[in-house]
Amino acid sequence: MTQDDRMKFAPEPYKIKMVEPMATLTKDERKKALATAGYNTFLIKSEECFIDILTDSGTNAMSDRQWAGLMMGDEAYGGSRNFYHLEETVRELFGFKYVVPTHQGRGAENILSSLTIKPGDYVPGNMYFTTTRFHQERNGATFRDVVIDEAHDPNRDDVPFKGNVDLKKFQALIDEVGAEKIPYICLAVTVNLAGGQPVSMENIRATSELAHKYGIKVMYDATRCVENAYFIKSREKGYENKSIKEIVHEMFSYGDGCTMSGKKDCLTNIGGFLCMNDQDLYTRATGMVVQFEGMPTYGGMAGRDMEAMAIGLRESMDEAYISHRVNQIRYLGEKLNSGNVPMVKPYGGHAIFIDARAFLDHLDQEADLPAQALSAAVYQYSGVRTMERGIVSAGRDNITGKNHHPKLETIRLTIPRRVYTYAHLDYVADSIIELYQRRHDISGLKWVYEPSVLRFFTGRFEPKNGELIKGY
Ligand SMILES: *Cc1c(COP(=O)(O)O)cnc(C)c1O
C-alpha cells in the first residue's frame, strides 16, 4: 500500500479532547418518540437520536482554539473588539469592504432582501433555498431558478459542477422582465438543495460578467463557500496548486456581496453576516440591523460568538480539514452505493442525498410524501436522524396555493463538521442498506397538520397504512 492509498480516506485530522455520550434507544422507544414527533424528524428530541445527521447547521464541533476564544469575549454593547477581529478576518478572506453581523444567515437574508427588492421584482438563483426564497418572496419578488438542468437530475454523475448557472436561462429572464426588475442574482456556492453541488470558477466569472453587463448585482449565498473552493481545487483545471484561501478570495472577487450563515462553514454553532462593497447599501443595512438584530458591532451575536467565528473561519481554510470533510461525505456515498442505494450523484460537499423517489418507487410524490416517509423510517429503524428535502420542504406556490413538485425528492444525510468518525458513518450506511432491502414495507405518510409557511419545520404526519414499516 502506498502513502496515497492509505490517505484515500485519511484518518480524522483531529484528536478528541472532550466527548458527548449519545443515546441508544430501543425500537419501542424510537417508535414512540417518532409518533410523538408527528413523524417529522425536526420534532424529535435530540436526546432521542443516536447519530444525528439532520443538518450540518450549527452542529459543528469547535476547536480548542475557538473555545479559548470564547473566554476572550468582549461583551461591550458597542465596539466589541471581537467584532473588529471578525470584520478584519472576513475582509481579508472574502475581500468584501463592509461586514454587517447578524444572528444567523436568515438575518442577513432579511436585511438584503428588504433593502434591495421592490414588489414585482425577480430574483434569479441557482436553485432555491428555503429561507432565502422565503425572504425574497416576503418582499414581493418572484424567484426564478436558473441552475443548469442537470442539477435536477439525480442520476447525472458526469457533471462536475452541477451547481452552475445556466447563462441562457439567466439571459432569457433578463430579456423577459428587463434588468431593472432584477436587483441581484443570488449565487449559491455550493448549492445545498441540488445535493451540495459546486459552481466552477469559470461559471462564477461568466455569470458575473453577464450580470454586471446589465447592472445586476451578484450576491453570493456564501454558506458553504469553503466546500465549493475545495471542489474547484480538486476538479477545475488551473486550480490544483492554489490554496483554498486563494480560491475563496478569487470566487468572491467577481461579486458585490454575500449573505453568510456562520452555522456552516464558519465552524461555529450560531451567527452570520452580510457583506457588500456598496457604501450606500452598507449604510442602509446598518440602519436595519439596529431594528432587527442589534448594534452594527454585534448584530445578535455575543462578543464571544464573534471571536469563535473569526477563528473558525480561518481554520476552515485548512487543507487537511476541508479535504477530510469532503472525503467523509464521499466515503458514506461509496458505502451506500455498494448496497445499491439510489443517491444524487456526484456526492456533494456537506451531505449525501438519497433519492427517495427511487428508493420508495411504490409511493407517489403528492399522495404519499416519500421523502418524509423515508426520513421517518430511517429514524425508526436505526435511531439515525435525517431530513426531508422533497415536496414537503418545497412548500406551496404563493399565488396558486398548489404544491411545488420538485424533481428532487430526497432525504439528506448531512454530516456535522468534525463531529463523527468513519465508524459512525459505517453504522449509518449499514442501517440504510438493510432498510433498502425491505423498502417495500414502508408506508406513505399523510398530513395531519400543515403550517402555512416553512411547513417542513413543524408539520405533522401519520402513516397511511397505520404502520410505518410493515412488521417492524
Ligand atoms: C442554512 C442556510 C441558510 C440560512 O442560514 P441560517 O443560519 O440557518 O439562518 C441560507 N442558505 C443556505 C444555502 C443554507 O444552507
Side-chain angles (χ1 to χ4, degrees):
M1 220 189 213
T2 66
Q3 172 73 2
D4 277 358
D5 292 335
R6 276 197 303 274
M7 294 301 273
K8 182 183 173 205
F9 292 114
E12 284 71 22
Y14 45 80
K15 293 189 283 186
I16 295 163
K17 172 139 53 183
M18 192 191 281
V19 296
E20 181 182 348
M22 305 181 332
T24 43
L25 271 62
T26 63
K27 177 166 83 173
D28 286 342
E29 287 169 335
R30 293 196 301 268
K31 276 177 133 168
K32 194 161 159 246
L34 187 63
T36 307
Y39 294 84
N40 183 346
T41 53
F42 277 98
L43 301 179
I44 299 171
K45 291 182 181 157
S46 164
E47 31 185 52
E48 293 163 341
C49 298
F50 180 43
I51 296 174
D52 193 353
I53 49 176
L54 179 80
T55 175
D56 62 334
S57 178
T59 53
N60 303 309
M62 294 204 292
S63 68
D64 49 359
R65 280 158 209 252
Q66 286 177 290
W67 280 99
L70 290 186
M71 299 305 291
M72 304 295 285
D74 172 2
E75 307 305 340
Y77 194 83
S80 162
R81 74 168 164 263
N82 311 117
F83 170 71
Y84 298 108
H85 182 202
L86 176 64
E87 182 186 50
E88 171 197 302
T89 307
V90 174
R91 279 185 178 155
E92 177 195 324
L93 297 175
F94 286 16
F96 294 120
K97 280 198 196 132
Y98 303 107
V99 183
V100 181
T102 58
H103 74 286
Q104 57 183 83
R106 69 199 70 181
E109 290 170 347
N110 177 30
I111 295 175
L112 175 68
S113 305
S114 310
L115 292 178
T116 56
I117 293 171
K118 299 182 302 309
D121 279 353
Y122 290 80
V123 180
N126 48 345
M127 213 177 251
Y128 86 99
F129 183 74
T130 53
T131 58
T132 319
R133 187 180 68 191
F134 169 78
H135 281 291
Q136 293 159 0
E137 290 177 345
R138 200 175 75 90
N139 287 285
T142 302
F143 167 81
R144 276 296 179 83
D145 189 356
V146 294
V147 78
I148 56 173
D149 285 339
E150 291 89 331
H152 293 281
D153 181 350
N155 299 317
R156 285 299 298 273
D157 62 356
D158 57 328
V159 185
F161 292 100
K162 243 176 151 177
N164 278 356
V165 171
D166 185 329
L167 297 172
K168 285 202 215 76
K169 289 187 192 169
F170 185 19
Q171 179 75 57
L173 178 67
I174 298 171
D175 296 343
E176 180 196 330
V177 305
E180 62 293 344
K181 284 219 147 82
I182 308 176
Y184 63 92
I185 176 168
C186 176
L187 187 57
V189 286
T190 59
V191 185
N192 189 347
L193 293 194
Q197 304 294 334
V199 184
S200 71
M201 194 73 87
E202 187 187 7
N203 188 256
I204 293 176
R205 224 179 279 127
T207 301
S208 156
E209 259 169 44
L210 179 57
H212 289 157
K213 186 170 128 193
Y214 289 95
I216 298 167
K217 285 200 159 96
V218 177
M219 300 302 289
Y220 296 86
D221 181 336
T223 300
R224 295 185 182 77
C225 60
V226 184
E227 289 160 15
N228 199 88
Y230 178 78
F231 283 118
I232 289 179
K233 185 177 166 83
S234 45
R235 294 180 185 168
E236 191 162 350
K237 223 171 135 254
Y239 289 91
E240 311 79 348
N241 299 319
K242 292 225 153 85
S243 69
I244 297 295
K245 189 177 155 188
E246 286 169 321
I247 297 173
V248 167
H249 201 275
E250 182 180 337
M251 278 162 51
F252 291 141
S253 70
Y254 303 115
D256 303 284
C258 71
T259 54
M260 181 68 174
S261 167
K263 305 176 72 170
K264 285 73 173 236
D265 271 358
C266 291
L267 293 170
T268 47
N269 304 116
I270 193 71
F273 53 82
L274 170 66
C275 292
M276 67 284 280
N277 289 330
D278 179 336
Q279 190 180 4
D280 175 56
L281 182 60
Y282 171 66
T283 309
R284 291 190 299 131
T286 55
M288 236 190 117
V289 85
V290 291
Q291 295 174 52
F292 294 100
E293 307 277 328
M295 280 286 284
T297 51
Y298 74 86
M301 283 184 280
R304 53 180 173 268
D305 294 332
M306 293 190 283
E307 189 62 25
M309 190 185 276
I311 298 169
L313 195 54
R314 200 172 286 282
E315 285 179 0
S316 75
M317 313 260 160
D318 176 64
E319 314 256 351
Y321 151 72
I322 188 64
S323 121
H324 170 264
R325 162 146 186 79
V326 177
N327 271 314
Q328 270 200 329
I329 316 295
R330 188 160 63 93
Y331 178 84
L332 178 58
E334 288 184 11
K335 273 216 94 153
L336 287 165
N337 198 46
S338 71
N340 300 317
V341 174
M343 284 169 283
V344 175
K345 292 181 189 162
Y347 311 128
H350 68 302
I352 289 295
F353 286 69
I354 294 181
D355 183 352
R357 219 191 265 269
F359 197 112
L360 301 179
D361 54 8
H362 57 296
L363 299 186
D364 175 74
Q365 186 180 37
E366 172 112 24
D368 300 310
L369 316 174
Q372 191 70 38
L374 184 56
S375 68
V378 167
Y379 172 78
Q380 183 169 315
Y381 197 71
S382 64
V384 173
R385 167 154 71 170
T386 63
M387 176 192 293
E388 192 263 8
R389 282 297 169 202
I391 190 168
V392 174
S393 292
R396 290 179 183 274
D397 186 285
N398 256 356
I399 293 158
T400 66
K402 292 222 163 71
N403 281 313
H404 288 295
H405 289 96
K407 290 209 178 102
L408 293 178
E409 176 76 18
T410 63
I411 67 165
R412 196 178 76 181
L413 282 49
T414 337
I415 311 303
R417 295 169 186 77
R418 304 193 291 206
V419 172
Y420 293 117
T421 65
Y422 285 112
H424 293 111
L425 303 182
D426 285 340
Y427 176 87
V428 172
D430 291 343
S431 308
I432 293 177
I433 290 169
E434 257 179 60
L435 188 61
Y436 185 61
Q437 284 152 8
R438 58 187 299 179
R439 60 192 179 276
H440 293 135
D441 293 342
I442 298 174
S443 155
L445 290 177
K446 59 173 187 249
W447 285 100
V448 174
Y449 162 61
E450 184 187 342
S452 59
V453 291
L454 297 172
R455 61 185 184 177
F456 57 96
F457 282 129
T458 54
R460 302 182 72 85
F461 309 86
E462 63 186 33
K464 289 180 87 173
N465 303 340
E467 227 182 355
L468 179 62
I469 308 173
K470 197 164 78 195
Y472 182 80

